[in-house]
Amino acid sequence: MRRTAGLLFTLPLLLAVACSSSPKAAGPATPSAPSAPPTVPAPVGEASPMPVLSGGGFGSKATITLPEGQPSGQFVVNTVSEGDRPAVNKGDWVTVNYTAKDWTTGKDLPSSYDPSGKPQLYQAGSGQLVPALDQSVIGKKVGSRLLVVAPPTAAFGEQGSTQLGVSKGDTVVFVLDIMESLPQDSTLSGAMTQPPANLPQVKDNGKAPVTITVPAGQAAPTDLQQAVLIKGEGKQVKTGQTLVVQYTGVLWNNGQQFDASWTHGGAQAVQIGTGSVIEGWDKGLVGQTVGSRIQLVVPPGLGYKDQAQGSVPPNSTLVFVIDILEAV
């Protein structure tokens, strides 16, 4: 459920092309691409001269040694080591660890492997990140390490990045480790436990919104109700993380569906525990585990209170079923 269109999570500014924010919403909004992006040439597999990598392999910070001479000016995407999992498709939610270096200045740039760093989660081909990340991973297998030489058109262009210390026109080298990829139609499967009888019952519909049946004649609860329908074995969700979720939301008073991730194209990303979404989501999802299907019954005070939102009347109790697919 959205109040306005726009991102409900903040992309790290280090690698983002464009970023916006949104008021609190029940579910995540569909990102909008920046207008009139520069034309990016198709990448090649290699060009002379090429940087050399050393240090650890996939899943660890790389050491990038720059060669003598100036970069070729070509956009290079070279597969250093190939993974054995399915390839990333446009629109997939991809998780990437990265190491970076400014070829023009020789300066090492912040890495996701730094103590303060974190993996980058984004939708491949969405145009939200610099093309060096946005486009390089498409068609590459999960588990692959890529060496990317990004001329200005594939990096930070004529604006540069003051936060990174990258000047306009600089060529940047990235080493990308593709950690995970989730298609937009991803969902959870397996045995599902029903909530107690006084709470809504849930029917799985595969790659479509679940059916949520509110118990007839049952008064809406006055406090947040949580039920774990599928218990995931992944990591625990922490405040400030970005989650990839599938979700369905209905109104308690009549069982009407008012929102679902499927109506926005499929799996969506949302930052949790920071006030980016309604309080019921922040309270109900922090501490859960990746791979879990959670039902939340959200009273008005933890939802939209006395405000109407689209087809949601004021003082509505909301019911959500949420699949937690990833947390970064």
Side-chain angles (χ1 to χ4, degrees):
M1 169 64 187
R2 298 173 289 171
R3 288 192 179 180
T4 60
L7 293 176
L8 289 185
F9 61 97
T10 303
L11 294 168
L13 295 179
L14 303 183
L15 302 172
V17 172
C19 178
S20 59
S21 60
S22 165
K24 292 181 182 179
T30 304
S32 56
S35 59
T39 301
V40 181
V44 298
E46 193 166 347
S48 183
M50 284 285 286
V52 176
L53 304 185
S54 58
F58 178 88
S60 61
K61 187 173 182 178
T63 299
I64 303 170
T65 301
L66 299 174
E68 296 291 335
Q70 296 299 310
S72 67
Q74 292 181 283
F75 181 19
V76 179
V77 180
N78 179 266
T79 302
V80 178
S81 59
E82 187 173 50
D84 57 5
R85 296 175 59 192
V88 177
N89 293 309
K90 185 176 181 179
D92 288 358
W93 288 101
V94 62
T95 304
V96 170
N97 273 312
Y98 61 91
T99 310
K101 194 181 191 80
D102 188 322
W103 186 324
T104 306
T105 64
K107 174 185 174 182
D108 288 324
L109 303 177
S111 163
S112 65
Y113 291 111
D114 294 341
S116 60
K118 63 183 296 186
Q120 186 83 43
L121 170 66
Y122 60 100
Q123 199 168 18
S126 67
Q128 289 295 328
L129 299 190
V130 295
L133 273 78
D134 185 55
Q135 298 180 17
S136 295
V137 297
I138 296 174
K140 306 298 183 181
K141 293 182 178 181
V142 175
S144 296
R145 167 163 281 194
L146 309 178
L147 172 60
V148 180
V149 179
T153 52
F156 299 98
E158 292 305 311
Q159 292 74 40
S161 170
T162 54
Q163 187 173 3
L164 279 174
V166 175
S167 299
K168 64 179 183 179
D170 284 5
T171 294
V172 180
V173 180
F174 294 96
V175 179
L176 307 181
D177 291 337
I178 306 175
M179 311 303 294
E180 186 60 84
S181 181
L182 292 166
Q184 286 186 282
D185 65 354
S186 296
T187 188
L188 299 179
S189 60
M192 187 173 68
T193 302
Q194 290 293 336
N198 64 327
L199 293 178
Q201 303 298 289
V202 179
K203 177 180 178 293
D204 183 271
N205 292 318
K207 295 183 183 297
V210 299
T211 300
I212 303 173
T213 303
V214 178
Q218 182 74 39
T222 57
D223 54 0
L224 179 67
Q225 300 292 311
Q226 302 162 269
V228 178
L229 310 184
I230 298 175
K231 176 64 175 177
E233 298 181 356
K235 54 198 170 187
Q236 191 174 61
V237 174
K238 298 179 180 178
T239 295
Q241 287 189 311
T242 298
L243 309 185
V244 179
V245 297
Q246 294 281 18
Y247 69 94
T248 304
V250 306
L251 300 173
W252 179 284
N253 68 337
N254 60 12
Q256 178 184 345
Q257 179 180 305
F258 64 88
D259 196 11
S261 55
W262 304 94
T263 65
H264 307 307
Q268 302 286 301
V270 60
Q271 192 177 74
I272 203 71
T274 61
S276 297
V277 291
I278 59 171
E279 192 175 354
W281 275 44
D282 280 345
K283 289 182 176 294
L285 296 184
V286 171
Q288 304 291 353
T289 54
V290 173
S292 293
R293 174 171 289 175
I294 308 297
Q295 183 185 87
L296 299 178
V297 180
V298 181
L302 299 179
Y304 288 124
K305 303 179 173 59
D306 60 355
Q307 301 296 309
Q309 294 294 326
S311 60
V312 179
N315 298 308
S316 290
T317 296
L318 312 175
V319 183
F320 293 97
V321 173
I322 304 161
D323 287 0
I324 306 175
L325 303 173
E326 180 63 289
V328 174

